[in-house]
Amino acid sequence: MESLDGNVSGESIYLQNLIKIIDCKNDVVTFLHNTKTKETADKIIKHGFEFQSHLDFTTDVVSAKDPITIKYFSIVRQAYGDYTIIIQISKQIIEDFSAPLVKKAHHFSEVLTVKPPIINAEEDMIYCLAPNFVKGYINVHSAEFVANPTFNSSLILPEFNQNLNRILNNLS
């Protein structure tokens, strides 16, 4: 968005950078989440992303090919904070871990966690997505991107198969 004097606004630069950062091959699914502080964003890069119940309960799925949805996300979620966390997971991983859970009350994101789930004060299950799926975060105001040096959208950790087996065994 240009201002009256012809300059591009900070919001527009943020959106342009965000689209460039999430734009990649069609082999990943992108999730966005806003958080209030840089410290929290740094913690998510290092330790993983904690979410309630299913990953898509606390994130928004977006595509770089749909800038209107990204703009909508930025408007609706701005109250949640100035740091947009970018999560990308290989579609193949999602498909591979979703298949055994078809017709079950579980979600692939429960499998992609790095520590056992905990129950919060509201009795919701809290999971921690592996940090390798966190691409990084972007500051809403400065449009600065901080990349996660361990980002790998296709990395399968041994914990994932252990989590899947635990879930399937508990269903029997």
Side-chain angles (χ1 to χ4, degrees), residues 4-17:
L4 294 176
D5 62 3
N7 290 328
V8 177
S9 73
E11 175 192 26
S12 180
I13 294 169
Y14 158 76
L15 291 173
Q16 289 171 9
N17 284 355

Side-chain angles (χ1 to χ4, degrees), residues 61-129:
V61 178
V62 299
S63 168
K65 293 173 181 28
D66 187 2
I68 293 171
T69 301
I70 294 171
K71 171 83 171 163
Y72 175 78
F73 163 83
S74 72
I75 292 168
V76 171
R77 302 296 183 211
Q78 68 187 7
Y80 294 107
D82 295 335
Y83 298 89
T84 302
I85 307 298
I86 301 160
I87 298 167
Q88 291 185 320
I89 304 172
S90 158
K91 286 182 181 178
Q92 189 63 54
I93 287 178
I94 292 172
E95 290 169 11
D96 289 348
F97 286 109
S98 292
L101 299 174
V102 170
K103 297 184 181 180
K104 296 182 175 46
H106 292 273
H107 193 258
F108 74 87
S109 57
E110 296 173 52
V111 175
L112 305 180
T113 63
V114 289
K115 50 186 174 180
I118 58 170
I119 298 174
N120 70 5
E122 290 82 34
E123 298 187 15
D124 298 312
M125 296 296 284
I126 304 297
Y127 298 89
C128 185
L129 184 72

